[in-house]
Amino acid sequence: MKIATIFILTLITFCFTRSYGQKELNIKVLNPPQNVKPGGHFTLFFEVEKQGLSLEHITASLQVPENWQIILSRKYEVDNASLRYVYTIATPLNAISEDYPLTFKISDGGALQGIKTTGIKVTTVRKVEIIPLSSYEYVREGDSLHLNYLIQNLGNKPEKIMVNTSKGKIRLKNDSLLLEPLKSIQVRVSQVVPRTQSNYWLMSNDLFVVLKDSANPVSNFLSVPVYSSNNKKSDPYLRFPVEAGMWYSHFNIRQKASSSVQYDFRGHGFLDFKQKHYLDFTVHGPNQINLPAIGSYDQYSLNYSFKKSTQISVGDYLLAFNNLMEFGRYGRGFRIDQKIAKTGLSAFYLQPRFYPNQKGTYGGRFYFKPKDNLMFSADFLSKNVKFNGQWFDAKMVGLSTLFRNRAFMINTELATSHANRKSDWGVFNRVYLHHKRIQLTSDLVYAGKNFYGFYHNSWQAVNTLNYYVFKKVSLGVQSNFTRVNPSFDTYALNTSPYYSSNSFLLNYDMATYHRLILSYHIEEKEDRQEIKQFYYKEKHGRLAYLVTAERFQLWAENRYGIARNLLSVNDDVKYTQSIRSVIQPQVRTFRWLWIGGFFEYQRNAKFSNNTQLTNYYYYGGTSRMQISNVFNANFSYRNNYAPDELIQRRSYLDLTAELNLKHHRLSVAAGRVFLPNYIQGNENTLYFMVKYALKLNLPLAKNKNLGSIRGSISGNADMRKSGILVILGDKKFLTDANGNFYFNDLPPDKYYVTIDKSTVNTGTITAVKTPMEVAAKNVNDISIPLVVAGGVTGKVLFQTGDSMTVGHQKTIVLVRLFNEHESFMTQVNDKGVFSFKEMQPGQWQVQVSVHGHQNQFEVRNPLQNVVIESGKLNSLSFTVYPKERKIYFSDESFQISLKK
């Protein structure tokens, strides 16, 4: 539009000069600015050839856009042949980003002699701020917190924003708003103060503003002190939490029903008041149905730690030694870990329970940590293994190192194996790198044919490289070659198929919660079971869409390509069509309930013994329910899975529910599950389990070092000190005739004492900040003095009048009263009046600030000192006036070039 205006004005100038038969006057624009900022100023130079013009009668004018101001204009002769006009122009703060026409006209004796139009581009400024308008001195557990924030658009572009908070609720009809330049809105964030196990803590209240087409949200938050309504540690006993209960299980395996009843007794906690000794134990049994994949096995374990430097495990435990030798093996035995300064030692013995091809295992480690992010270790492990029907001992030694920081991580292991008169070796290496726009991850595993660690005769290389072209666009390359033979426990149940693939990806973050993924894949997958269910090669393109909003989540995927079935008896099998479509939505219908669905369609010939195309339909649903910490439930259903997904445990039907009360816990689990290798012929197992636990806190010892707090209310002789309610958490005490109060039998800890303001005289406050932090060690004497409060009142005057409105936008004026220890804030009312009452006497400072139009106004003497006296109200006044624009002239000369 502006460009068209400039063209029309230029055309009018041309027609004007031609219609009157006049010679067009030569007007030049010297060195005009390429871009200008809103709210700034710039200078234009126009040079005009005299051509016999009369200097006495010549006049010039510059036509500027609406709300633009000419703050300076000058004229002077350059030489005998030309004149130069200088204009300094100020742009308004709300000037939007586009081209604006400025028209220069020159006349001689009232007759127009020439017109020159030039365009000026206003740059785009995006700036949104969040300013807290209110706060709390403190709150208590269970209170409702309501905080107001001001959102300002200080840029020159209308911003479509979305507001949200991670802590509570926002009172807005729509969470998506359009905020015009130099406009502001107020938002209230409300939340309920939760209950914790602390007597004092800081609670954060936040507000996030997400701008359209911007990956960086604007945020602000406030921290408010929270004081407990109860003394969380008022129990003088050291207690050890334990649970005692029963489990009932019912299974249907191969159409044969089995039931069992098991006892369950477990506990964990510290054994001393100084929290140096920690114990964790589990007694669960007997083992009546051996089905570890669903958790039906006995467990007897004891774990002890001392100062986090000594750890001892006896009984059943999971051995996770390292990646090469023993990545995860559950069994019965013992383990000891001892940390000594920057070094450490480990020793263990384990008899595997769920891996029949391995027996007695023992070993140890010595490590050295010169820094927190760097470690070196030497490892040894020996185990008795079965391979090809023969039992033999395998002994392994290895070295490993681990280094990590924010941008780089490397974990490398080298090991050698000596078994059955043969030696071999293995290597593990994991690398992560994030440097500027490049992100790299790499996993490498190699184990030789005679290496008998967790991996045997294995090779794996998984590499991913991503390059962020822009903030929202990244390109990626992935390569995966996996031919591993891991020795999983039977409860893991993974057949580990051979797999290789190469992929090329394009990721586009469309918006904050939306991502688009475009990729191309070449892959090969082979089943490892005796009767292969799949073996194919495939090439396909994929388009995926991901949504992760607060109340709605979606995964949608479409694949189209070709596949070759390598199970076919025909050697000349060609590639055939392969299609896969998936949609998986989830909706948060209530704050405590998610409901989702699953729908999948496939058309291919990958899973049959011939090349006939087959249609596959899979569907299901999920739901998640969480009601406080008392009740939660989860449900999922799938009608079936594709054959290449049945390589591990899969659930067709799964239901779990748990009721968690103060002293009782009741949980139910039921479902139908597929277990590969355990059940042949794609049969499945039905199960139903009920668990009940009684929760107890057993007393181990009584704290003999109980303290007490003894205090008094002090003040002037005429002040009432009796009958004042003093509060310590959930304990309350009414002062006696002399103003004394007592709290006894308090475990050593920090407590917070305050008084009920309704029980003191009007206008009387404490001379110290409350709640007051008090340590209960032995006997602690405190004094709470009372004083007559003072206050501050005032008014903010606008030099242009008493109006606080600019255009249709209200100007926000905040007043802060503060000293070295406390700070209070308020907002002036519509008449510009503010007040702080019932304040402690002493030295204070008052500061006034303008928000909403801070670039247009200034406050004269914005910071003032005030002495608050008992029983008196101080009166202050502040003046807000428009900012003045000042121009400074220089005696220096500058070379100005002509506009090309």
Side-chain angles (χ1 to χ4, degrees):
M1 182 65 185
K2 299 296 183 183
I3 297 176
T5 303
I6 296 173
F7 174 76
I8 293 173
L9 290 173
T10 305
L11 183 63
I12 293 174
T13 302
F14 176 80
C15 296
F16 173 82
T17 55
R18 290 297 181 264
S19 63
Y20 287 90
Q22 298 175 346
K23 183 180 178 181
E24 183 180 358
L25 198 64
N26 189 9
I27 303 174
K28 300 175 182 178
V29 184
L30 307 181
N31 203 26
Q34 296 294 326
N35 297 287
V36 297
K37 295 181 179 180
H41 63 271
F42 63 96
T43 301
L44 281 180
F45 297 86
F46 294 92
E47 189 170 285
V48 182
E49 294 183 1
K50 292 182 180 179
Q51 297 181 353
L53 296 174
S54 173
L55 297 180
E56 297 179 356
H57 302 94
I58 190 171
T59 60
S61 64
L62 180 64
Q63 182 180 346
V64 298
E66 185 180 1
N67 296 326
W68 292 40
Q69 294 181 353
I70 299 176
I71 57 179
L72 175 69
S73 62
R74 297 178 64 188
K75 178 185 74 172
Y76 59 91
E77 292 187 65
V78 179
D79 50 36
N80 294 330
S82 60
L83 296 172
R84 184 167 293 171
Y85 293 85
V86 182
Y87 294 91
T88 301
I89 303 116
T91 59
L93 282 169
N94 59 349
I96 62 177
S97 177
E98 58 183 30
D99 287 307
Y100 289 85
L102 286 82
T103 304
F104 175 77
K105 299 179 182 180
I106 190 164
S107 304
D108 184 6
L112 183 64
Q113 299 296 321
I115 297 178
K116 183 68 174 180
T117 299
T118 185
I120 297 296
K121 171 74 173 180
V122 175
T123 59
T124 299
V125 177
R126 303 187 70 182
K127 185 178 181 181
V128 174
E129 283 187 351
I130 303 175
I131 300 174
L133 297 180
S134 59
S135 186
Y136 286 74
E137 184 179 358
Y138 68 90
V139 293
R140 290 189 177 276
E141 292 180 343
D143 290 349
S144 294
L145 191 66
H146 306 286
L147 293 173
N148 295 321
Y149 294 87
L150 179 72
I151 305 175
Q152 306 180 96
N153 183 2
L154 301 179
N156 65 339
K157 175 186 177 182
E159 296 285 1
K160 187 175 182 181
I161 64 174
M162 295 184 64
V163 294
N164 58 63
T165 178
S166 65
K167 304 297 182 181
K169 295 182 179 180
I170 298 177
R171 293 187 178 181
L172 278 177
K173 292 182 179 179
N174 298 313
D175 59 356
S176 180
L177 304 168
L178 183 65
L179 193 58
E180 297 292 339
L182 300 183
K183 300 294 183 181
S184 63
I185 58 170
Q186 291 193 35
V187 174
R188 169 172 284 193
V189 180
S190 302
Q191 67 183 113
V192 177
V193 181
R195 301 184 183 275
T196 68
Q197 296 301 316
S198 300
N199 290 328
Y200 167 81
W201 53 286
L202 289 175
M203 174 180 175
S204 62
N205 182 277
D206 57 36
L207 180 68
F208 296 90
V209 174
V210 180
L211 309 182
K212 185 180 180 181
D213 301 328
S214 176
N216 301 318
V218 182
S219 63
N220 205 332
F221 69 93
L222 285 172
S223 295
V224 181
V226 179
Y227 295 94
S228 171
S229 301
N230 300 288
N231 293 320
K232 305 300 182 181
K233 299 181 180 179
S234 60
D235 188 357
Y237 289 94
L238 173 66
R239 297 187 179 273
F240 189 83
V242 298
E243 294 184 4
M246 301 291 291
W247 289 21
Y248 170 77
S249 305
H250 179 83
F251 300 91
N252 194 327
I253 307 173
R254 298 191 184 97
Q255 300 180 352
K256 180 180 179 181
S258 302
S259 299
S260 69
V261 177
Q262 296 174 304
Y263 53 81
D264 186 81
F265 188 57
R266 61 187 68 209
H268 60 88
F270 289 99
L271 302 176
D272 61 329
F273 286 103
K274 294 183 179 180
Q275 297 187 350
K276 294 182 179 180
H277 303 270
Y278 184 84
L279 185 69
D280 182 335
F281 71 89
T282 300
V283 178
H284 177 80
N287 187 13
Q288 298 175 328
I289 302 176
N290 187 20
L291 195 61
I294 309 181
S296 176
Y297 55 89
D298 60 331
Q299 181 181 357
Y300 306 95
S301 63
L302 178 68
N303 300 292
Y304 166 79
S305 64
F306 174 72
K307 289 185 177 181
K308 297 183 180 180
S309 60
T310 302
Q311 295 184 356
I312 301 175
S313 299
V314 179
D316 297 320
Y317 70 96
L318 179 67
L319 176 62
F321 192 51
N322 58 30
N323 293 279
L324 281 176
M325 299 180 183
E326 204 64 270
F327 183 65
R329 183 73 65 219
Y330 190 82
R332 190 163 292 171
F334 69 88
R335 177 169 180 167
I336 301 175
D337 296 281
Q338 179 64 52
K339 181 181 179 182
I340 307 172
K342 294 184 178 181
T343 63
L345 294 169
S346 297
F348 62 86
Y349 173 81
L350 184 79
Q351 187 68 33
R353 296 186 57 189
F354 305 124
Y355 188 62
N357 295 326
Q358 182 175 331
K359 293 183 179 180
T361 303
Y362 61 90
R365 164 181 293 170
F366 171 79
Y367 69 85
F368 172 59
K369 292 186 67 173
K371 297 180 180 180
D372 290 338
N373 64 341
L374 178 62
M375 185 184 74
F376 302 96
S377 70
D379 305 328
F380 167 76
L381 185 142
S382 175
K383 55 184 175 181
N384 190 245
V385 298
K386 181 182 180 181
F387 186 74
N388 290 334
Q390 180 183 1
W391 286 94
F392 52 86
D393 290 331
K395 299 184 183 298
M396 287 165 280
V397 293
L399 299 173
S400 65
T401 181
L402 173 64
F403 171 80
R404 69 175 66 199
N405 58 26
R406 296 183 60 182
F408 179 71
M409 187 276 291
I410 182 169
N411 182 14
T412 303
E413 299 177 12
L414 293 172
T416 179
S417 169
H418 303 273
N420 207 16
R421 298 181 180 180
K422 294 181 180 179
S423 299
D424 217 325
W425 62 285
V427 61
F428 172 87
N429 187 65
R430 175 169 292 162
V431 175
Y432 170 80
L433 172 66
H434 191 180
H435 178 68
K436 296 182 179 179
R437 297 187 177 188
I438 298 176
Q439 185 176 21
L440 170 70
T441 59
S442 176
D443 279 3
L444 173 67
V445 176
Y446 170 77
K449 294 182 179 180
N450 297 299
F451 185 86
Y452 297 98
F454 183 79
Y455 295 99
H456 165 74
N457 191 20
S458 299
W459 172 256
Q460 182 182 56
V462 181
N463 300 285
T464 302
L465 175 64
N466 289 316
Y467 178 75
Y468 290 86
V469 183
F470 307 105
K471 286 185 177 181
K472 296 185 176 183
V473 179
S474 66
L475 297 174
V477 180
Q478 294 180 352
S479 175
N480 186 335
F481 182 84
T482 301
R483 297 183 70 88
V484 295
N485 294 285
S487 54
F488 288 117
D489 279 343
T490 53
Y491 63 80
L493 295 178
N494 192 317
T495 61
S496 302
Y498 291 149
Y499 181 72
S500 63
S501 70
N502 292 291
S503 307
F504 306 91
L505 300 95
L506 170 65
N507 293 286
Y508 173 45
D509 293 327
M510 304 167 59
T512 305
Y513 305 112
H514 303 261
R515 172 177 291 184
L516 196 65
I517 305 170
L518 181 64
S519 59
Y520 179 74
H521 304 259
I522 302 173
E523 58 185 20
E524 180 178 346
K525 198 171 186 180
E526 180 182 0
D527 193 5
R528 297 280 306 284
Q529 299 183 81
E530 293 184 5
I531 302 178
K532 295 182 183 297
Q533 301 295 318
F534 57 89
Y535 182 21
Y536 61 84
K537 291 183 178 181
E538 186 174 18
K539 304 174 184 179
H540 65 265
R542 185 186 68 158
L543 178 64
Y545 177 53
L546 175 66
V547 180
T548 56
E550 184 179 358
R551 292 184 171 273
F552 178 72
Q553 297 181 358
L554 174 68
W555 172 259
E557 175 185 349
N558 283 284
R559 296 183 183 181
Y560 185 83
I562 55 177
R564 182 184 179 189
N565 188 343
L566 301 179
L567 287 178
S568 176
V569 295
N570 299 323
D571 295 334
D572 57 346
V573 175
K574 298 181 180 180
Y575 283 95
T576 57
Q577 185 185 60
S578 178
I579 299 175
R580 181 174 184 257
S581 297
V582 177
I583 182 169
Q584 191 171 357
Q586 292 190 71
V587 180
R588 190 175 188 175
T589 55
F590 301 98
R591 192 174 186 85
W592 47 270
L593 179 63
W594 282 87
I595 297 178
F598 176 85
F599 310 93
E600 178 180 359
Y601 166 73
Q602 290 193 37
R603 178 176 174 81
N604 56 60
K606 297 188 298 185
F607 310 127
S608 57
N609 291 325
N610 51 51
T611 58
Q612 182 178 358
L613 290 173
T614 306
N615 294 322
Y616 301 90
Y617 300 93
Y618 307 108
Y619 53 87
T622 61
S623 67
R624 290 179 288 149
M625 181 185 300
Q626 178 75 49
I627 302 177
S628 182
N629 293 324
V630 176
F631 179 78
N632 68 83
N634 294 276
F635 171 80
S636 66
Y637 167 76
R638 281 284 297 266
N639 72 317
N640 210 337
Y641 294 86
D644 59 348
E645 294 180 301
L646 297 175
I647 59 174
Q648 58 188 3
R649 169 181 165 162
R650 293 293 186 179
S651 177
Y652 295 103
L653 179 67
D654 186 69
L655 171 66
T656 60
E658 182 179 84
L659 178 65
N660 193 0
L661 303 177
K662 184 176 181 179
H663 296 294
H664 307 273
R665 179 186 291 115
L666 179 65
S667 58
V668 177
R672 187 164 61 95
V673 64
F674 169 81
L675 306 175
N677 284 342
Y678 188 84
I679 302 171
Q680 301 297 326
N682 199 21
E683 297 181 13
N684 50 73
T685 298
L686 292 171
Y687 67 93
F688 173 77
M689 304 175 70
V690 179
K691 305 176 184 179
Y692 168 77
L694 174 66
K695 298 186 290 183
L696 302 172
N697 282 321
L698 301 180
L700 298 183
K702 185 175 181 180
N703 194 343
K704 297 180 180 180
N705 299 320
L706 297 179
S708 63
I709 296 175
R710 188 170 58 188
S712 62
I713 304 295
S714 61
N716 296 333
D718 57 347
M719 285 186 176
R720 181 176 62 85
K721 306 178 183 65
S722 63
I724 297 177
L725 189 64
V726 183
I727 304 172
L728 181 80
D730 58 347
K731 300 179 182 294
K732 298 179 181 180
F733 195 99
L734 205 62
T735 59
D736 59 19
N738 297 319
N740 298 320
F741 58 89
Y742 311 92
F743 296 100
N744 298 317
D745 295 332
L746 299 174
D749 198 4
K750 291 181 179 180
Y751 296 88
Y752 298 88
V753 178
T754 187
I755 64 172
D756 186 347
K757 295 181 180 180
S758 65
T759 60
V760 299
N761 294 334
T762 303
T764 301
I765 61 173
T766 60
V768 295
K769 183 180 179 181
T770 57
M772 179 192 299
E773 182 179 295
V774 182
K777 292 183 179 179
N778 298 322
V779 179
N780 194 341
D781 293 319
I782 64 172
S783 176
I784 302 179
L786 299 181
V787 295
V788 177
V792 177
T793 62
K795 186 172 184 179
V796 177
L797 303 174
F798 277 72
Q799 188 171 319
T800 56
D802 291 336
S803 175
M804 296 173 57
T805 303
V806 178
H808 299 287
Q809 183 67 25
K810 183 178 178 180
T811 301
I812 305 297
V813 180
L814 300 180
V815 185
R816 188 166 73 102
L817 177 70
F818 63 97
N819 59 17
E820 295 180 355
H821 308 289
E822 296 180 275
S823 178
F824 303 91
M825 182 180 291
T826 188
Q827 181 179 341
V828 302
N829 61 19
D830 293 338
K831 297 181 180 180
V833 176
F834 66 89
S835 65
F836 296 94
K837 297 181 179 180
E838 293 195 355
M839 307 305 301
Q840 293 179 8
Q843 293 281 350
W844 293 80
Q845 288 183 301
V846 180
Q847 185 178 36
V848 173
S849 57
V850 178
H851 300 272
H853 297 95
Q854 61 266 45
N855 293 325
Q856 300 183 36
F857 295 101
E858 289 182 338
V859 182
R860 183 175 290 115
N861 193 16
L863 183 64
Q864 298 185 24
N865 296 319
V866 61
V867 178
I868 298 179
E869 300 179 10
S870 295
K872 295 182 179 180
L873 285 177
N874 297 67
S875 181
L876 300 175
S877 65
F878 296 84
T879 301
V880 177
Y881 61 95
K883 285 187 176 180
E884 297 181 358
R885 300 182 184 272
K886 297 181 180 181
I887 301 175
Y888 299 91
F889 296 96
S890 175
D891 295 331
E892 299 182 17
S893 299
F894 300 92
Q895 182 68 33
I896 300 175
S897 61
L898 295 178
K899 182 179 181 180
K900 299 285 185 174

